[in-house]
Short mmCIF file of all heavy atoms in Angstrom, two decimals:
data_model
loop_
_atom_site.label_atom_id
_atom_site.label_comp_id
_atom_site.label_asym_id
_atom_site.label_seq_id
_atom_site.Cartn_x
_atom_site.Cartn_y
_atom_site.Cartn_z
N THR W 1249 15.74 64.75 -136.14
CA THR W 1249 14.77 63.80 -135.85
C THR W 1249 14.09 63.34 -137.14
O THR W 1249 13.57 64.24 -137.99
CB THR W 1249 13.58 64.41 -134.95
OG1 THR W 1249 14.27 64.76 -133.69
CG2 THR W 1249 12.52 63.33 -134.71
N PRO W 1250 13.99 62.09 -137.44
CA PRO W 1250 13.39 61.63 -138.77
C PRO W 1250 11.89 61.98 -138.75
O PRO W 1250 11.23 61.82 -137.67
CB PRO W 1250 13.69 60.18 -138.76
CG PRO W 1250 13.87 59.80 -137.36
CD PRO W 1250 14.56 60.98 -136.69
N ALA W 1251 11.38 62.42 -139.96
CA ALA W 1251 9.93 62.74 -140.05
C ALA W 1251 9.16 61.92 -140.99
O ALA W 1251 7.96 61.47 -140.74
CB ALA W 1251 9.86 64.21 -140.27
N THR W 1252 9.70 61.66 -142.16
CA THR W 1252 9.09 60.97 -143.12
C THR W 1252 9.33 59.56 -143.00
O THR W 1252 10.32 59.10 -142.34
CB THR W 1252 9.50 61.48 -144.56
OG1 THR W 1252 10.90 61.03 -144.76
CG2 THR W 1252 9.36 62.94 -144.65
N TRP W 1253 8.45 58.61 -143.62
CA TRP W 1253 8.67 57.29 -143.47
C TRP W 1253 10.01 56.71 -144.05
O TRP W 1253 10.65 55.98 -143.38
CB TRP W 1253 7.55 56.37 -144.08
CG TRP W 1253 7.83 54.98 -144.17
CD1 TRP W 1253 7.73 54.16 -145.25
CD2 TRP W 1253 8.01 54.14 -143.07
NE1 TRP W 1253 8.03 52.88 -144.88
CE2 TRP W 1253 8.26 52.83 -143.62
CE3 TRP W 1253 8.29 54.31 -141.76
CZ2 TRP W 1253 8.57 51.71 -142.78
CZ3 TRP W 1253 8.61 53.18 -140.90
CH2 TRP W 1253 8.66 51.98 -141.41
N PRO W 1254 10.49 57.23 -145.18
CA PRO W 1254 11.85 56.86 -145.54
C PRO W 1254 12.94 57.11 -144.60
O PRO W 1254 13.86 56.39 -144.39
CB PRO W 1254 11.96 57.56 -146.92
CG PRO W 1254 10.67 57.78 -147.56
CD PRO W 1254 9.77 58.03 -146.18
N GLU W 1255 12.81 58.45 -143.97
CA GLU W 1255 13.84 58.82 -142.97
C GLU W 1255 13.69 57.91 -141.77
O GLU W 1255 14.70 57.46 -141.17
CB GLU W 1255 13.57 60.21 -142.56
CG GLU W 1255 13.91 61.24 -143.68
CD GLU W 1255 13.52 62.65 -143.26
OE1 GLU W 1255 12.67 62.83 -142.42
OE2 GLU W 1255 14.00 63.65 -143.91
N ILE W 1256 12.53 57.56 -141.36
CA ILE W 1256 12.32 56.75 -140.14
C ILE W 1256 12.80 55.34 -140.43
O ILE W 1256 13.49 54.74 -139.62
CB ILE W 1256 10.83 56.66 -139.75
CG1 ILE W 1256 10.38 58.02 -139.25
CG2 ILE W 1256 10.53 55.61 -138.78
CD1 ILE W 1256 8.90 58.22 -138.99
N ARG W 1257 12.53 54.74 -141.66
CA ARG W 1257 13.01 53.52 -142.04
C ARG W 1257 14.55 53.41 -141.95
O ARG W 1257 15.13 52.49 -141.47
CB ARG W 1257 12.50 53.10 -143.33
CG ARG W 1257 12.78 51.71 -143.73
CD ARG W 1257 11.93 51.22 -144.92
NE ARG W 1257 12.06 52.31 -146.09
CZ ARG W 1257 11.20 52.40 -147.02
NH1 ARG W 1257 10.09 51.42 -147.07
NH2 ARG W 1257 11.31 53.23 -148.03
N SER W 1258 15.18 54.57 -142.53
CA SER W 1258 16.72 54.53 -142.45
C SER W 1258 17.20 54.61 -141.02
O SER W 1258 18.19 54.00 -140.69
CB SER W 1258 17.14 55.74 -143.31
OG SER W 1258 16.82 55.61 -144.65
N TRP W 1259 16.49 55.45 -140.20
CA TRP W 1259 16.87 55.53 -138.70
C TRP W 1259 16.80 54.24 -138.17
O TRP W 1259 17.61 53.87 -137.33
CB TRP W 1259 15.98 56.64 -138.15
CG TRP W 1259 16.27 56.76 -136.66
CD1 TRP W 1259 17.21 57.59 -136.12
CD2 TRP W 1259 15.59 56.11 -135.57
NE1 TRP W 1259 17.20 57.50 -134.77
CE2 TRP W 1259 16.29 56.58 -134.37
CE3 TRP W 1259 14.67 55.14 -135.56
CZ2 TRP W 1259 15.81 56.09 -133.14
CZ3 TRP W 1259 14.19 54.69 -134.27
CH2 TRP W 1259 14.83 55.06 -133.10
N ARG W 1260 15.67 53.56 -138.36
CA ARG W 1260 15.38 52.23 -137.73
C ARG W 1260 16.55 51.22 -138.08
O ARG W 1260 17.06 50.50 -137.31
CB ARG W 1260 14.10 51.65 -138.05
CG ARG W 1260 12.94 52.32 -137.41
CD ARG W 1260 11.67 51.67 -137.61
NE ARG W 1260 10.46 52.31 -137.02
CZ ARG W 1260 9.31 51.98 -137.01
NH1 ARG W 1260 8.98 50.83 -137.67
NH2 ARG W 1260 8.28 52.53 -136.42
N LYS W 1261 16.96 51.28 -139.39
CA LYS W 1261 17.99 50.32 -139.82
C LYS W 1261 19.32 50.63 -139.11
O LYS W 1261 20.03 49.77 -138.63
CB LYS W 1261 18.15 50.40 -141.34
CG LYS W 1261 19.23 49.45 -141.79
CD LYS W 1261 19.43 49.50 -143.37
CE LYS W 1261 20.43 48.40 -143.83
NZ LYS W 1261 21.64 48.42 -143.04
N ALA W 1262 19.67 51.95 -139.06
CA ALA W 1262 20.97 52.27 -138.36
C ALA W 1262 20.82 51.94 -136.86
O ALA W 1262 21.91 51.46 -136.34
CB ALA W 1262 21.21 53.81 -138.58
N THR W 1263 19.72 52.23 -136.27
CA THR W 1263 19.65 51.99 -134.88
C THR W 1263 19.64 50.54 -134.57
O THR W 1263 20.25 49.99 -133.68
CB THR W 1263 18.28 52.57 -134.40
OG1 THR W 1263 18.31 53.96 -134.56
CG2 THR W 1263 18.10 52.38 -132.87
N ARG W 1264 18.91 49.75 -135.47
CA ARG W 1264 18.92 48.21 -135.32
C ARG W 1264 20.34 47.71 -135.45
O ARG W 1264 20.79 46.87 -134.68
CB ARG W 1264 18.02 47.67 -136.40
CG ARG W 1264 17.95 46.15 -136.41
CD ARG W 1264 17.14 45.66 -137.56
NE ARG W 1264 15.74 46.34 -137.57
CZ ARG W 1264 15.32 47.09 -138.54
NH1 ARG W 1264 16.11 47.45 -139.65
NH2 ARG W 1264 14.05 47.59 -138.51
N ASP W 1265 21.11 48.17 -136.47
CA ASP W 1265 22.50 47.67 -136.73
C ASP W 1265 23.30 47.89 -135.49
O ASP W 1265 24.14 47.08 -135.04
CB ASP W 1265 23.00 48.27 -137.99
CG ASP W 1265 22.34 47.71 -139.15
OD1 ASP W 1265 21.64 46.76 -139.23
OD2 ASP W 1265 22.54 48.35 -140.21
N ALA W 1266 23.21 49.17 -134.90
CA ALA W 1266 24.03 49.49 -133.70
C ALA W 1266 23.67 48.70 -132.48
O ALA W 1266 24.62 48.20 -131.85
CB ALA W 1266 23.83 50.93 -133.41
N ILE W 1267 22.44 48.45 -132.23
CA ILE W 1267 21.98 47.61 -131.08
C ILE W 1267 22.45 46.17 -131.20
O ILE W 1267 23.04 45.61 -130.33
CB ILE W 1267 20.47 47.65 -130.94
CG1 ILE W 1267 20.05 49.11 -130.52
CG2 ILE W 1267 20.01 46.70 -129.88
CD1 ILE W 1267 18.46 49.27 -130.39
N LEU W 1268 22.23 45.64 -132.43
CA LEU W 1268 22.68 44.24 -132.61
C LEU W 1268 24.22 44.04 -132.56
O LEU W 1268 24.62 43.06 -131.96
CB LEU W 1268 22.16 43.78 -133.98
CG LEU W 1268 20.72 43.56 -134.07
CD1 LEU W 1268 20.30 43.16 -135.57
CD2 LEU W 1268 20.14 42.47 -133.26
N ALA W 1269 24.92 45.02 -132.96
CA ALA W 1269 26.48 44.97 -132.81
C ALA W 1269 26.74 44.86 -131.31
O ALA W 1269 27.61 44.11 -130.93
CB ALA W 1269 27.04 46.11 -133.66
N ARG W 1270 26.09 45.77 -130.65
CA ARG W 1270 26.43 45.77 -129.06
C ARG W 1270 25.94 44.53 -128.40
O ARG W 1270 26.62 44.08 -127.50
CB ARG W 1270 25.84 47.08 -128.54
CG ARG W 1270 26.36 48.31 -129.02
CD ARG W 1270 25.79 49.54 -128.42
NE ARG W 1270 26.04 50.83 -129.23
CZ ARG W 1270 25.84 51.99 -128.87
NH1 ARG W 1270 25.29 52.24 -127.66
NH2 ARG W 1270 26.15 53.01 -129.67
N ARG W 1271 24.78 44.01 -128.83
CA ARG W 1271 24.30 42.79 -128.27
C ARG W 1271 25.16 41.67 -128.52
O ARG W 1271 25.38 40.82 -127.55
CB ARG W 1271 22.91 42.49 -128.70
CG ARG W 1271 22.09 41.51 -128.01
CD ARG W 1271 20.67 41.31 -128.28
NE ARG W 1271 20.48 40.72 -129.57
CZ ARG W 1271 19.32 40.62 -130.18
NH1 ARG W 1271 18.18 41.16 -129.64
NH2 ARG W 1271 19.12 40.04 -131.36
N MET W 1272 25.60 41.52 -129.71
CA MET W 1272 26.48 40.40 -130.07
C MET W 1272 27.86 40.48 -129.43
O MET W 1272 28.51 39.41 -129.17
CB MET W 1272 26.58 40.28 -131.58
CG MET W 1272 25.32 39.92 -132.29
SD MET W 1272 24.74 38.22 -131.86
CE MET W 1272 25.98 37.25 -132.44
N ALA W 1273 28.25 41.68 -129.18
CA ALA W 1273 29.57 41.85 -128.46
C ALA W 1273 29.57 41.53 -127.00
O ALA W 1273 30.55 41.36 -126.35
CB ALA W 1273 30.10 43.32 -128.73
N ARG W 1274 28.33 41.54 -126.42
CA ARG W 1274 28.22 41.23 -124.98
C ARG W 1274 28.60 39.72 -124.76
O ARG W 1274 28.14 38.94 -125.42
CB ARG W 1274 26.74 41.51 -124.48
CG ARG W 1274 26.40 41.21 -123.10
CD ARG W 1274 25.09 41.63 -122.72
NE ARG W 1274 25.18 43.01 -122.07
CZ ARG W 1274 24.26 44.01 -122.18
NH1 ARG W 1274 23.15 43.83 -122.89
NH2 ARG W 1274 24.45 45.11 -121.63
N PRO W 1275 29.36 39.51 -123.68
CA PRO W 1275 29.87 38.08 -123.32
C PRO W 1275 28.57 37.21 -123.19
O PRO W 1275 27.62 37.68 -122.57
CB PRO W 1275 30.70 38.17 -122.14
CG PRO W 1275 31.18 39.66 -122.20
CD PRO W 1275 30.09 40.53 -122.84
N VAL W 1276 28.73 35.97 -123.57
CA VAL W 1276 27.64 35.00 -123.41
C VAL W 1276 27.19 34.95 -121.91
O VAL W 1276 25.88 34.92 -121.61
CB VAL W 1276 27.99 33.72 -124.01
CG1 VAL W 1276 26.94 32.60 -123.61
CG2 VAL W 1276 28.22 33.73 -125.43
N GLU W 1277 28.13 34.81 -121.04
CA GLU W 1277 27.72 34.58 -119.63
C GLU W 1277 26.99 35.90 -119.09
O GLU W 1277 26.06 35.77 -118.24
CB GLU W 1277 28.98 34.34 -118.78
CG GLU W 1277 29.47 32.88 -118.94
CD GLU W 1277 28.50 31.89 -118.70
OE1 GLU W 1277 27.82 31.99 -117.70
OE2 GLU W 1277 28.35 30.89 -119.46
N GLU W 1278 27.33 36.96 -119.60
CA GLU W 1278 26.66 38.28 -119.16
C GLU W 1278 25.24 38.25 -119.67
O GLU W 1278 24.26 38.53 -119.04
CB GLU W 1278 27.37 39.45 -119.60
CG GLU W 1278 26.71 40.75 -119.20
CD GLU W 1278 27.44 42.02 -119.71
OE1 GLU W 1278 28.64 41.90 -120.18
OE2 GLU W 1278 26.89 43.13 -119.61
N ARG W 1279 25.06 37.77 -120.91
CA ARG W 1279 23.66 37.75 -121.53
C ARG W 1279 22.85 36.71 -120.72
O ARG W 1279 21.68 36.98 -120.50
CB ARG W 1279 23.75 37.23 -122.99
CG ARG W 1279 24.37 38.35 -123.92
CD ARG W 1279 23.93 38.16 -125.32
NE ARG W 1279 24.19 36.87 -125.86
CZ ARG W 1279 25.26 36.59 -126.67
NH1 ARG W 1279 26.12 37.54 -126.99
NH2 ARG W 1279 25.51 35.40 -127.12
N ARG W 1280 23.45 35.57 -120.29
CA ARG W 1280 22.73 34.62 -119.54
C ARG W 1280 22.27 35.17 -118.17
O ARG W 1280 21.13 34.95 -117.78
CB ARG W 1280 23.62 33.29 -119.32
CG ARG W 1280 23.73 32.54 -120.62
CD ARG W 1280 24.69 31.36 -120.30
NE ARG W 1280 24.91 30.53 -121.54
CZ ARG W 1280 25.85 29.66 -121.69
NH1 ARG W 1280 26.73 29.49 -120.72
NH2 ARG W 1280 25.88 28.98 -122.75
N GLY W 1281 23.19 35.92 -117.56
CA GLY W 1281 22.77 36.48 -116.21
C GLY W 1281 21.71 37.53 -116.41
O GLY W 1281 20.69 37.59 -115.61
N LEU W 1282 21.85 38.31 -117.37
CA LEU W 1282 20.69 39.34 -117.60
C LEU W 1282 19.42 38.74 -118.02
O LEU W 1282 18.31 39.34 -117.79
CB LEU W 1282 21.08 40.37 -118.70
CG LEU W 1282 22.31 41.23 -118.35
CD1 LEU W 1282 22.77 42.07 -119.59
CD2 LEU W 1282 21.91 42.23 -117.19
N SER W 1283 19.37 37.55 -118.61
CA SER W 1283 18.21 36.81 -119.11
C SER W 1283 17.42 36.25 -117.87
O SER W 1283 16.30 36.07 -117.99
CB SER W 1283 18.59 35.72 -120.03
OG SER W 1283 19.18 36.20 -121.19
N GLU W 1284 18.10 36.02 -116.76
CA GLU W 1284 17.45 35.23 -115.60
C GLU W 1284 16.21 35.94 -115.13
O GLU W 1284 15.25 35.23 -114.94
CB GLU W 1284 18.53 34.94 -114.52
CG GLU W 1284 19.57 33.97 -114.97
CD GLU W 1284 20.62 33.74 -113.77
OE1 GLU W 1284 20.54 34.47 -112.86
OE2 GLU W 1284 21.47 32.89 -114.16
N PRO W 1285 16.23 37.26 -114.90
CA PRO W 1285 14.98 37.81 -114.39
C PRO W 1285 13.86 37.79 -115.35
O PRO W 1285 12.71 37.68 -114.90
CB PRO W 1285 15.50 39.28 -114.11
CG PRO W 1285 16.87 39.38 -113.93
CD PRO W 1285 17.35 38.16 -114.86
N VAL W 1286 14.21 37.85 -116.63
CA VAL W 1286 13.20 37.80 -117.68
C VAL W 1286 12.49 36.38 -117.70
O VAL W 1286 11.31 36.20 -117.70
CB VAL W 1286 13.68 38.16 -119.04
CG1 VAL W 1286 12.65 38.03 -120.13
CG2 VAL W 1286 14.28 39.52 -119.02
N ILE W 1287 13.34 35.28 -117.60
CA ILE W 1287 12.80 33.99 -117.70
C ILE W 1287 12.12 33.69 -116.40
O ILE W 1287 11.02 33.05 -116.35
CB ILE W 1287 13.92 33.00 -117.95
CG1 ILE W 1287 14.63 33.26 -119.21
CG2 ILE W 1287 13.45 31.54 -117.73
CD1 ILE W 1287 15.86 32.48 -119.54
N ALA W 1288 12.56 34.26 -115.30
CA ALA W 1288 11.74 34.00 -113.94
C ALA W 1288 10.33 34.73 -114.10
O ALA W 1288 9.48 34.11 -113.62
CB ALA W 1288 12.58 34.64 -112.85
N TYR W 1289 10.27 35.88 -114.70
CA TYR W 1289 8.92 36.53 -114.89
C TYR W 1289 8.12 35.58 -115.72
O TYR W 1289 6.87 35.40 -115.44
CB TYR W 1289 9.17 37.80 -115.53
CG TYR W 1289 7.86 38.33 -116.03
CD1 TYR W 1289 6.86 38.91 -115.27
CD2 TYR W 1289 7.55 38.43 -117.39
CE1 TYR W 1289 5.76 39.46 -115.75
CE2 TYR W 1289 6.32 38.83 -117.99
CZ TYR W 1289 5.48 39.43 -117.01
OH TYR W 1289 4.26 39.83 -117.55
N LEU W 1290 8.59 34.99 -116.78
CA LEU W 1290 7.91 34.12 -117.67
C LEU W 1290 7.38 32.95 -117.04
O LEU W 1290 6.18 32.46 -117.07
CB LEU W 1290 8.66 33.78 -118.94
CG LEU W 1290 8.94 35.00 -119.97
CD1 LEU W 1290 9.89 34.37 -121.02
CD2 LEU W 1290 7.69 35.63 -120.43
N ARG W 1291 8.27 32.30 -116.22
CA ARG W 1291 7.89 31.05 -115.46
C ARG W 1291 6.78 31.47 -114.49
O ARG W 1291 5.88 30.56 -114.31
CB ARG W 1291 9.10 30.55 -114.71
CG ARG W 1291 10.06 29.88 -115.62
CD ARG W 1291 11.27 29.39 -114.69
NE ARG W 1291 12.16 28.59 -115.62
CZ ARG W 1291 13.54 28.65 -115.53
NH1 ARG W 1291 14.07 29.54 -114.57
NH2 ARG W 1291 14.26 27.85 -116.25
N ALA W 1292 6.76 32.62 -113.90
CA ALA W 1292 5.67 32.89 -112.93
C ALA W 1292 4.42 33.30 -113.61
O ALA W 1292 3.30 33.19 -113.02
CB ALA W 1292 6.21 34.02 -112.02
#
């Protein structure tokens, strides 16, 4: 578990890169479908 700010910053970068890679690999239509409940909440 990262403890110091430099360790946390490095952990955040690695985690961010992993999440973004997975998000970009998700098909566009799947992203659109998953977005619908969020947008419905905002509209309401």
Side-chain angles (χ1 to χ4, degrees):
T1249 300
T1252 67
W1253 173 235
E1255 290 172 340
I1256 291 169
R1257 186 166 51 195
S1258 295
W1259 178 88
R1260 287 185 181 183
K1261 182 183 185 305
T1263 302
R1264 180 184 303 116
D1265 290 348
I1267 292 176
L1268 288 175
R1270 297 181 195 193
R1271 189 170 78 186
M1272 292 299 294
R1274 175 170 266 149
V1276 172
E1277 287 304 316
E1278 183 180 347
R1279 291 203 303 261
R1280 288 175 180 164
L1282 292 172
S1283 299
E1284 289 176 0
V1286 178
I1287 296 172
Y1289 166 75
L1290 294 178
R1291 285 177 173 143

